[in-house]
Structures are given as C-alpha cells and as structure tokens.
Amino acid sequence: MSFTSTSAPPVERGWYKRNEIAITPWLFLFPAMLFFAVYVIIPIGQSFWISFHQWDGLGEATWVGTDNYERLLTDDRKFTTSFWNNLKWLVLYLLAIPMGLFISLFLNQTVFGIRLYKSLFFFPFVISQVVVGLVFSWFYLPREGLLNAVLALFGAGPVNILGDPTMATYGIIAAGLWPQTAYCMILYLTGLNAVDPEQVEAARLDGARGWKMLWFVILPQLKPATFIAFVVTIIGALRSFDLISVMTNGGPFGSTRVLSFYMFEESLSEFGFRMGYGAAIAVVLFFIMLGFIVYFLWSMYQDEKGGH
Amino acid sequence: MHSILKTSLAALTAAGIATSAHAEAHALSGDLKIISDMSNPAPRAVIEGLVADFGEMHPDLNIELTVVDREAWKTQIRNALGANPPDVVNWYAANRMGPYVEAGLFEDISDMYENGDLPGLESVKGAMTLDGKQWGVPYTYYQWGIYYREDIFNELGLSEPATFEEELANCEKIVASGRACYAIGTKFLWTAGGWFDYLNMRTNGFDFHMQLARGEVEWTDDRVRETFANWRKIIDMGGYIADHQSYSWQEALNFMTDGEAAAYLIGNFAVPPLREAGLTDDQIDFYQFPTIADVPQGEDAPTDTFHIPSGAANKDNARAFLQFVTSAEVQTAINGGDALGQLPVNAESSVDADEFLEQGFEMLSNNAQGGVAQFFDRDFPAEMASVGMEGLQEFMVFPDNLDDILERLEDARQRIYQ
C-alpha cells in the first residue's frame, strides 16, 4: 500500500487500485489456497517425508531411505492382500451404477405414492455407513442371521460369510453396494428428469423401443449422470474403511484389509507404532487415487473443451 | 534419551524426598488433572469416588477429572501425553508401557518404591518395571482361568481336571453330549492370546514363555510347535464353538449361558455378565488351567495402572494421588464386589468375600510358582502382539496352516526385535 494523502489531487491512483483486476481474484482465492495448502498439500509432503523414516510416532525418527517401500512392495503379504482387495472393491463396486440405473428407470413413473417409494429406496444412503455395517453383520450372523434362515428354507447349508477368508470381502462389498446403489439411483433420477421428451417422441415414431430406446436414446442423454455416478462410486470404493472396521475389523486373519485400513492399523491403531510404514502405504494409495483423479480431471477438461 | 532420563531422575529424587514422604499428612493445593479410561459403569463410579474422596482430604486442591472411553484411550494416549499432558493417566503394566517409557513420556517413580512411599506393593513391583526402573503404580488386577458350568459338569459326572489328559478326557465327554467344551470369541483376536499363553506356559514353562515374549526364542522352535500340537488336540476334537472368529468375547458368553458350551478360558471380568445373564453361583465355578508338562505353573493376571506423564505440571500432587490409590484401605474398598470386583494390589488389603475372587487370590498367591504374566498383548511388544494374535486366530480356524503362520511370526520377530 502506498501513502496517498487525501488532500493531494488524485493524479496517481493507489497501488491496489491500479492492479485491482489482477489482484482481486487472488485475494478471493487466498483463503481457499491457504487452507488447501495447510490441510492437503503440506500433509501430503509430510507423508512422503515420514515414509522414508522408521518412527514410532513418539520418539525420534530414523532415516531408513526406501526400506519401507522395499519391504512393502517385495515381501509383505498383508500389503498384497490389501491391494487385491482394493481392486475387488473398485471393480465390484461399479455394479452400483447399472443397478442404480435399473432402479431409477423402474421408479421413473407417475403412480400414486411414487415419492414415498423413491425415498424408501434412497433411505440406505441417508443412514450412516456404520449402521449399514452393523445391519449387514447381523444379517450374516452364522447361526441367528437372516441370511442363513433364508438359505435354510431352500435347504442350503449355513454359511459364515464374514468368518470365511474367501468370502468375507465379497460380503462387505455387498453391504457397501446397498447404499451406493441408492446414491447412483438418485443421480440417474435427476438425470432422467432432464431427458428431452421430444427426442423420445421422435425415436418412438422411428420405431425405437425397449433396449434400443434405452441404449441409443436415453443413455447418451444420461452421460453426465453416468460420469458423476462413476466418480462417486470409485471414490466410495477407495474409502471403504468404515464398513470393514465395523463388520470384520480387517479379519478373519486380515483377509478383508484394504490399503486404507492397513495404513490405519500399522500407524494409528491400538498396536500400531509404525508411522513410517503407514506413511509408505498412504503414499502408494495416494498414487492409485492420483491415477483416477488425473483421469477424471482430464475427461472433465475434454468435456469443457467440447462444450465451448 | 539416556541423558533425559538421568536428569529427570535426579530432579525427581530431589522433589520426591521433599514432598512425598509425608504428602498424605499435608493438605495439598493447586491443580491435579486426571485423565482416566475407567469408562465402564462400575469403574467410572470408582474413579469418581476416588476423586471425590481425595478432594475431601485436600479441600484446597482443584481436581479436574476427564473420563475417556476405554477403547478409544488405547489410541488417544499418544496425543494426550504429547503437548500439555495431564498429571495422572491410566494405562497397562509390562511391555504395554514400553513405547511410552522409551519415548520418555512416563515419569520414573522408582524413588517412591525405594523410600517406602508405597508400602505393600513389593509383590507387584515387577509388573511396573522396565529397564530396572518403575514407571507407575497398579490399582487392580484379575486372574484368568477356566470358568465352567458346574451344573453341566455334574450332569455329565465330570470333576475339575488337574492335568491336561483329564482335561481332554472331560472334553471328549462334553463333545459327545453335543456341546462344545469351550466358548471363545476371537473376532478381536486377543482371546486367542489367552489360550496360547496358558498352553505355552504349561507346555514349556513360564520362563520359556517370557523368553519368547522378549524375542529370544524363534517362533519356529520345536518347543513352540509342541505348544501348538497340544492346542491342536483340542481343536481337532471339536472342543471350541464353531465360527468363533465371528464373535466378540461378550457374544460368545451366550454359548455358555445357553449351555451349548461348558467352559470358557477368560478373565474374572466375565463373571458379572454371566451372573447378569441369569446364572447363579451354583451354576458357575472356576478352576486353574490344568498342568501339561512338569513345570511350575505360570498364570496370567493382567494389571491396570496409573502413571504420571513426564511432562505433568503438578507431579507432587500426582504422586500423592498414586499413594492414595494404592494404600491398603483404598485398595480394599475399590476392588470390592460392589466396586471393581477384582483383586487389590496391596498385600495388606483384604480380598472381598466372593467365590471367584477368593479362588483367584488363593491361586495367584500359592499356586503360581512359575510366575505371573500380564497377558499376550501386554507381555509381547505391540507389533509382535498384533501379528501374533492374528496368526493364533488363523491357527484356531485352519490348524493346517501352522507352518506358514510360524514362518510369518518368525519373520516378524526378526524385524521387530532387531
């Protein structure tokens, strides 16, 4: 700020006034940038830094170079299990998109009380993930669970889904799909409101119906909704922490761990004193997420370019 | 770190001599900040009562008590000990103190033990000792052992087994009657640690068990395999309830109350829920884990503790509080059946007249010549405990994976104790 006296004739305008157009956007951006830096950028840097150390979170940290990564990527079976579980989550969680689409098509009609039906279908997304996890773990209970009661009706033997290392992850993903399908459904319902009735009419005159109508007329118009559904589902799959924590606590014998849970377990849980190792897992997870984020940003950028 | 310890030790002895000798006689003033993990209903009433009584003795003392959820405290303690720590905190004995002692976050109070400020605590001193110094005081402990359905045993004509053969013979009859011998819930892993502790202490002795805990023995050692071979006998005869990996220890209690399982290797804390579930004292009883090899019996008796963070602001007040909590009368009162319902740590206190407390006290005083261990997750370093308990759970479900499990544990041992 320069000192312009009020009595002097305003020959020279203030520094701010002269640069107003250039400065103002940055002023508005400044708080957001500050918080983004303090809470996101700097911690990412710190995680990278910690991942090169051996540190119990209490005493002194010792520099170990890339030891943590070498161990992680060469002979850590927990890491391998977690990584594959993450992939299972990513692939199977995408089922929420077609399921959500199907339900939204089914509910997109005007009959009496449709609002009530819609809200009932949306309900699982409103309740907390912890509650979803609890409900499903009761559902899966080996003896008293509803699932086994139903199976018994068909004469099928009792299964202990969450106690079986080969099935537990799928059991948790199924629980996660329940709220995620509801989320995709609501996205598609809003998308369907924006479908152009004239195009549908025109397609009908041309004889399109059923699957053809859906595939060539409706779905292309739902592309923005599909994109958002894809983004939120991928993000949802990567933050599957709470369901795992509630339903199996990573077990049985660590077979349901994913990277985020493993990271928590190594560094922050009751017996976790390996901050450096946890940070290394966090860095790996960060790069996996970065891949998706770059893809999302890139496709949004392409869209913007096409739009103008 | 060494120098920090030395200087703090010197400062402490100076302060300790000046104040703590007759701390109880003088009225204290100033502040006392306590963070406690005694959040369950009965322990909460105890800590609140302790604070009220201590406040009455020292009217000028301003006591601030924060009670934190017991499970949450296990992770929160790190942050609490860092900046602006309280004056007194709760924690656990033995190796569970390790990370905080090494980081210099707990105050060394060896001088209190030396100069007679803590009369009657000589026998429990060992559990509070790391690196030859004492880092806190215990306030309660409890026995582990086999709690069983007396009525089922009577029905099948069984008696309390003293040896492992008798145990297995009993178990065969129980399984034949359509029940499981033992209830257990391993969802949160640590209950499996109890079984390993006992089988290993009985097969190879207390000293071997402690060597293993200190990382001096390989997990692939034949003696360790022998322990697992004994364990496998029970697993193979169907001794444990099915699907135990899906239950918590509380959920598994139902099997015992429903009469589907005849016994449960657990700590004395299981008695109140069993009584609440409607079992009378005629239906439940207790026996010491039977002997296997001819070795002195070691027992698990986990101890809960109070500590002074090294960064505490009111250490003199904190020391007086520790003295108060461990004094004979207070110990008798807070461990009574109407309070914690556990065993007092002070040798001059009296044990409440309760079937299980009396048996447990008798067992620990006269029948644990091998030594008293804390528990798998307190004797083994944190990381070893977490890897270990996961392996134990896997063994209980898939005993055939033993070789793989032991190799994994050995790998972890070599990394952790280096």
Side-chain angles (χ1 to χ4, degrees), chain A residues 139 141-159:
Chain A
F139 175 68
L141 270 182
R143 300 197 311 167
E144 302 87 347
L146 194 60
L147 177 71
N148 279 319
V150 173
L151 284 179
L153 284 184
F154 297 99
V159 285

Side-chain angles (χ1 to χ4, degrees), chain A residues 54 56-59 71 75 77-78 137-138 141-144 159-165 245-255 257 264-275, chain B residues 71 74-75 78 81 91 96 99-100 102-103 105 187-189 242-247 251 255 258 260 377 381-383 385-387 389-390 393-395 397-398 404-405 408 411-412 415 418:
Chain A
Q54 187 178 4
D56 64 1
L58 298 165
R71 190 171 178 88
D75 61 355
R77 279 200 296 189
K78 288 185 183 176
S137 48
W138 292 331
L141 270 182
R143 300 197 311 167
E144 302 87 347
V159 285
N160 180 12
I161 293 199
L162 295 182
D164 183 336
S245 175
V246 170
M247 292 177 72
T248 60
N249 204 28
F253 356 114
S255 59
R257 278 195 195 97
F264 167 81
E265 225 179 27
E266 286 295 314
S267 48
L268 300 167
S269 72
E270 191 183 341
F271 298 108
F273 287 95
R274 297 168 81 189
M275 289 292 172
Chain B
E71 289 305 313
K74 290 174 179 169
T75 51
R78 291 177 222 191
L81 292 179
W91 195 236
R96 275 305 273 281
Y100 308 101
E102 270 163 40
L105 293 171
K187 183 175 180 185
F188 296 100
L189 308 178
D243 299 320
H244 54 76
Q245 72 269 36
S246 301
Y247 303 114
E251 286 163 342
F255 289 86
D258 294 348
E260 291 176 56
D377 64 0
E383 283 179 58
S386 97
V387 182
M389 293 189 301
E390 201 169 285
Q393 187 203 29
E394 183 172 346
F395 173 74
V397 183
F398 296 116
D404 188 47
I405 296 168
R408 219 181 311 152
D411 188 48
R415 177 174 55 75
Q418 52 185 283

Side-chain angles (χ1 to χ4, degrees), chain A residues 30-46:
Chain A
F30 178 72
M33 281 167 57
L34 179 75
F35 281 93
F36 193 68
V38 170
Y39 291 109
V40 180
I41 304 292
I42 296 176
I44 290 176
Q46 284 174 323

Side-chain angles (χ1 to χ4, degrees), chain A residues 234-249:
Chain A
I234 291 290
I235 293 173
L238 286 170
R239 26 173 286 200
S240 44
F241 183 90
D242 29 15
L243 280 177
I244 295 168
S245 175
V246 170
M247 292 177 72
T248 60
N249 204 28

